[in-house]
Amino acid sequence: MKTIHELQAEVEKLGEQAKGKSAEVDMEERIKDIPTLDTKNVINKLSNEATIFENCANKFYDYEIKAIESSDTRGSFYWNLIAKENQNVAKTIRKAITFIIREQKETNRINKLY
């Protein structure tokens, strides 16, 4: 017989799996009426979002410098951390853009073979 802790762990695991499946279903439901996406539009939107995060990171680095100048070590650490996170998000978005472009080029190349 399983202990209460084992049962709780099992319930949590099943809950996480259900959330993952519902996220997939939600995505499929949202795009079912869209047969294709305009690649340029998607790339431009993603690029704009990355630029926003980069601009925020630059602003947070400015706040970090001001905090350092005012001898606020806790504040400077905080602003640096936020700036780095914004930079990481921008970098991830730019990597996704690169991946989308490479994937589409490869798909086009394969389609030409057949």
Side-chain angles (χ1 to χ4, degrees):
M1 180 164 233
K2 293 184 179 182
T3 66
I4 188 73
H5 297 295
E6 290 173 331
L7 291 172
Q8 285 176 336
E10 201 170 310
V11 167
E12 286 178 21
K13 184 179 176 184
L14 291 172
E16 291 301 315
Q17 289 175 350
K19 284 180 190 174
K21 291 192 187 308
S22 68
E24 290 175 19
V25 171
D26 291 346
M27 177 61 80
E28 288 177 14
E29 185 65 27
R30 282 186 277 169
I31 64 172
K32 74 177 183 183
D33 296 329
I34 305 172
T36 61
L37 290 174
D38 179 18
T39 306
K40 283 185 181 180
N41 189 27
V42 171
I43 298 299
N44 285 338
K45 286 287 188 187
L46 289 172
S47 183
N48 287 340
E49 290 298 315
T51 301
I52 289 169
F53 279 102
E54 289 164 345
N55 290 341
C56 289
N58 290 335
K59 193 59 154 176
F60 294 140
Y61 281 127
D62 291 342
Y63 292 156
E64 176 194 14
I65 291 169
K66 288 178 185 176
I68 290 171
E69 290 170 351
S70 66
S71 300
D72 181 8
T73 55
R74 182 176 281 175
S76 65
F77 175 77
Y78 172 77
W79 290 118
N80 181 275
L81 188 65
I82 293 174
K84 284 181 181 177
E85 287 302 316
N86 275 268
Q87 272 189 328
N88 287 339
V89 170
K91 185 186 275 187
T92 301
I93 293 171
R94 298 239 183 252
K95 283 182 181 178
I97 291 170
T98 301
F99 176 78
I100 290 168
I101 291 169
R102 286 181 181 159
E103 190 73 19
Q104 189 58 53
K105 284 182 177 180
E106 184 64 19
T107 301
N108 291 349
R109 187 184 71 76
I110 290 171
N111 288 340
K112 285 180 182 177
L113 295 175
Y114 296 101

